[in-house]
Amino acid sequence: MINEDVERKLEEAMELLKVLSGRNCLKILQALSEPKYWSQLMEELNIHRWVLKKYIDKLLQCGLIDSFIKPVERGPPRRYFQITRSLTLLLEISPKGVHMHQLTVPHVKKD
């Protein structure tokens, strides 16, 4: 029987894998090799704003990205998005069972 801690970690990993299985989420993460704001992402990825919002919200909820507001010379401040952490997932399937290993490296924010 799986203990509660292992079961919780597997559930978290499965949710993360669900988010990452979407083509748009991966495209957004690839585009965020440097911080970008809404218009940049919509133009670069050719994604409608509501579709982009749906996936940005999922990535924010998983803690893979965050946002910050930066003033501009003219116009309202812009909300930028950036990747917040490096993450490596390893799924091990063997006769001994299924194990999920996750290595998270803290992200150092660039100013």
Side-chain angles (χ1 to χ4, degrees):
M1 183 164 188
I2 299 175
N3 73 38
E4 289 180 22
D5 188 46
V6 171
E7 191 169 334
R8 182 183 53 77
K9 287 180 181 178
L10 282 173
E11 285 293 325
E12 289 173 6
M14 288 186 330
E15 280 302 311
L16 184 58
L17 289 172
K18 267 195 241 177
V19 170
L20 293 175
S21 69
R23 170 185 263 170
N24 285 324
C25 282
L26 292 176
K27 286 170 58 176
I28 292 166
L29 288 170
Q30 286 176 324
L32 290 176
S33 59
E34 60 184 46
K36 293 192 175 137
Y37 55 93
W38 280 107
S39 300
Q40 288 175 307
L41 288 168
M42 286 189 311
E43 185 177 317
E44 184 177 325
L45 301 171
N46 195 27
I47 294 178
H48 187 273
R49 71 184 316 181
W50 297 112
V51 174
L52 180 62
K53 181 182 179 346
K54 173 184 167 182
Y55 291 106
I56 288 285
D57 287 346
K58 287 181 179 186
L59 292 167
L60 286 166
Q61 188 175 25
C62 285
L64 289 173
I65 66 171
D66 70 359
S67 68
F68 62 94
I69 296 175
K70 186 175 179 182
V72 294
E73 286 185 28
R74 289 194 282 174
R78 291 183 178 153
R79 178 173 302 278
Y80 285 79
F81 298 94
Q82 65 184 0
I83 294 175
T84 56
R85 62 182 173 150
S86 295
L87 174 68
T88 301
L89 293 175
L90 173 65
L91 178 63
E92 178 186 353
I93 302 171
S94 73
K96 294 180 181 181
V98 176
H99 304 282
M100 179 76 67
H101 307 280
Q102 179 175 321
L103 172 63
T104 303
V105 180
H107 178 73
V108 178
K109 291 186 181 183
K110 301 172 189 170
D111 290 327

